[in-house]
Structure formats: structure tokens, C-alpha cells
Amino acid sequence: MDCYALIGHPVEHSHSPFIHAEFARQTRQALSYRAMLAPLDGFPNAVRMFRAAGGRGANVTVPFKLEAYSLATCLTERAKLAGAVNTLTFTDEAIVGDNTDGIGLVRDLAINLSCPLAARHVLLLGAGGAARGVLFPLLQTRPASLMLANRSIGRARELHAAFAPHVGQTAFAAGGFQDIGGRKFDAVINATSASLANESIPLPDSVFAPDALAYDMMYGAGDTPFMAWARKTGAARIQDGLGMLVEQAAESFALWRGMRPDSAPVLSMLRGKQQASHR
Ligand code: NDP
């Protein structure tokens, strides 16, 4: 049986083993997928041992996405641009590093939420690993404008410089939260970790255009502080990042197995579990 794993620290609450088990059942693939806790100073060793024991591939999560980038002997174009790796594929000769987070977000927006970004005005909050991973796929959807706003303005400007060659016709700007001013956006995507710390982001109340989507990459039992704020401020649609999680997993599965699973029933099962735990 082909073996896959999620390697991270922590990993015990991850939905990924459930998601990949459902994908395998659905596509009748004989494979195993487990969560593997690696010591904080032991990621390369954990990967080597898993590969030596016959592992065929791995997802990588916090805090190892940059180490996975360095460990890969071969990188896809989107992983190079992201500067981080969340999917490793082991071949006889190589450790191939890819990043499926960005395509996961774009597919969740376009397919699950029927919210394509072409010709729309998009605000992306954050300039950490998640923001970096989704920037290129977001620009590829050809929004009319994309503004990147981050607490530390210098990090937003660094990303702006790195991605400026890939903007095409999109008006691309970067700055701090105070630079948002009175602009309105069709989609506001929270790629900061503020919600993890139960913190709010200082955004103007006027940021949402009519019918705008507020999207938090974080997911959990209830509203995040960003989602609660968006609800109060009048965003038409409010969504967490569970769909992104399932879609990035589907993309990894497709890379490994050469077939794309149907993500919709798996997302709906997870939504059911989420609602049950919220009650
Ligand atoms: P990083 O640590 O790399 O980056 C954190 C970012 O959040 C930085 O831009 C930081 O700003 C900003 N930030 C942190 N605290 C605050 C605050 N209180 N107010 C405003 N900004 C803040 O984290 P990641 O980029 O890896 O992850 C970000 C989020 O995305 C997490 O919640 C993670 O769970 C989620 N995620 C979800 C995925 C999914 O599949 N749904 C996939 C990947 C990530 P500064 O630069 O100023 O420090």
C-alpha cells in the first residue's frame, strides 16, 4: 500500500488524514495517509526516515514549509514563486516540492463559492507564508486590482517587489492597513494569523463593496474575529478557509495519484462535523 503523511508540529487536530482517506475511498485507491509529528529541530530527518520506509509523498504544514522548500531537490514554478512548499513527492531520483495552497484558495473561491475574481477588486491581508503562497495564483485570475496590506509595511513592499513582474493588467499596490483609505473591494481575503491569536485587524468599516465576500483562511467551530467584524460591517458573504484546506488537499492528491477526487462531498462532511462541534 502506498504511504503518505502530513508532517508538522502540531498535527494532532488536522483534518488531512480524514480528507485523504475519503479521497482514497472515493477513487478506490489503496493508500494510507497519517499525521506525523516531527520534532521542531527534526524535519529533514523525519522526511528521510519516512521516505526510506517507503513513503511516496507528504504534505507539510506549520512550521516546516520553508524547510521543505530547502529540502526539495526539484521545485515547481509555483513553489519557487511561493518560496514555500506544502507538498512533497518522492521519486527514485528526486524530492519534488510543490505548493498547492494558492490553487486551493482560487478553486474554493471560483468553484465552491462561485466568486471568480476576474475583473474584481481584491484586498489581500497579510504578507506571511500563506499570502506569499496565494499571490501568484490570485494574480493569474486577472483581478482588476489587487491590494496587499500588512501590519509590517516593509514585508508588504518586499512581496510587491517580488511579484511585480507577474501582475499583467492588474493594478497591484501594497502598503499598511492605514493605506486602504476609502477604497472598496469585492473580495477581502484574510491571510494573516490575527484570528489564530483571537485578534482583530484595524480595517476601515467602509472596505466592503456591495455583494463583497469576506474570506478568512483560518477555520474553526465558529466565527473568527475577522468574520465577526465582517458580519457587523455589512459584508454580503462571509466564509472561512475550510474549503481552501480541502481544495489544496485535492490538488496534492491529484499530483500524487494522477486523478482528481471530488472535493464537494468531503467538504460537506467536514462542514457537518464543524456544525456538530459548534452546537
Ligand atoms: P505567518 O506567520 O507566515 O504570517 C503571519 C501574518 O499575519 C503576517 O503577515 C503578520 O504580520 C500577520 N499578523 C499576525 N498577527 C497579526 C495581527 N494581530 N494583526 C494583523 N496582522 C497580523 O503565517 P501564515 O502566513 O503561514 O498563516 C496565516 C494564516 O493562514 C493562518 O491563520 C493559517 O492557519 C492560515 N492558513 C490556512 C490555510 C488553509 O488551507 N485554509 C493554508 C495556509 C495558511 P507581520 O508581517 O506584521 O508580522
Side-chain angles (χ1 to χ4, degrees):
M1 191 185 274
D2 291 341
C3 299
Y4 298 88
L6 170 73
I7 307 178
H9 187 121
V11 284
E12 57 272 22
H13 298 300
S14 170
H15 293 306
S16 294
F18 172 82
I19 295 171
H20 282 278
E22 283 302 319
F23 287 165
R25 202 177 52 78
Q26 197 190 87
T27 56
R28 297 169 196 266
Q29 297 280 296
L31 61 85
S32 76
Y33 185 108
R34 67 190 166 100
M36 234 174 98
L37 181 76
L40 286 174
D41 59 353
F43 175 72
N45 200 35
V47 171
R48 270 184 217 108
M49 281 170 61
F50 180 59
R51 192 180 178 205
R56 300 285 305 272
N59 284 130
V60 180
T61 187
V62 178
F64 299 129
K65 289 184 186 180
L66 295 181
E67 278 192 78
Y69 180 87
S70 306
L71 193 73
T73 56
C74 170
L75 292 164
T76 61
E77 205 49 39
R78 61 189 179 188
K80 281 185 202 161
L81 278 165
V85 157
N86 79 332
T87 306
L88 295 170
T89 305
F90 307 132
T91 67
D92 288 344
E93 308 79 36
I95 301 178
V96 184
D98 201 346
N99 191 310
T100 65
D101 282 338
I103 192 71
L105 170 67
V106 167
R107 288 179 70 91
D108 190 33
L109 292 170
I111 299 169
N112 301 331
L113 303 173
S114 304
C115 180
L117 299 178
R120 306 288 176 88
H121 298 281
V122 178
L123 174 61
L124 179 64
L125 306 169
R132 192 177 180 109
V134 301
L135 255 175
F136 183 59
L138 280 180
L139 286 165
Q140 281 185 311
T141 65
R142 299 167 189 251
S145 72
L146 195 156
M147 177 165 190
L148 177 69
N150 192 47
R151 183 175 60 180
S152 313
I153 301 177
R155 285 184 91 188
R157 295 206 173 126
E158 271 171 37
L159 283 199
H160 185 264
F163 285 84
H166 306 284
V167 296
Q169 302 295 310
T170 299
F172 185 36
F177 301 132
Q178 67 278 12
D179 296 316
I180 295 168
R183 294 177 62 182
K184 291 191 184 295
F185 298 88
D186 302 301
V188 179
I189 301 167
N190 182 17
T192 76
S193 54
S195 293
L196 273 178
N198 209 27
E199 286 169 357
S200 304
I201 304 170
L203 298 172
D205 282 356
S206 55
V207 80
F208 295 110
D211 298 326
L213 171 73
Y215 188 101
D216 199 333
M217 284 193 192
M218 203 181 131
Y219 48 84
D223 272 1
T224 65
F226 171 75
M227 289 163 70
W229 170 81
R231 212 173 285 289
K232 264 202 314 214
T233 318
R237 301 173 67 193
I238 293 150
Q239 197 64 48
D240 69 8
L242 195 62
M244 175 179 172
L245 178 80
V246 175
E247 295 299 339
Q248 63 77 30
E251 183 76 7
S252 297
F253 190 93
L255 286 171
W256 292 328
R257 308 304 297 180
M259 61 179 68
R260 179 166 288 282
D262 185 1
S263 49
V266 180
L267 178 55
S268 134
M269 281 187 252
L270 283 174
R271 287 268 177 242
K273 285 179 164 204
Q274 193 183 41
Q275 276 156 16
S277 72
H278 190 40
R279 272 184 220 124

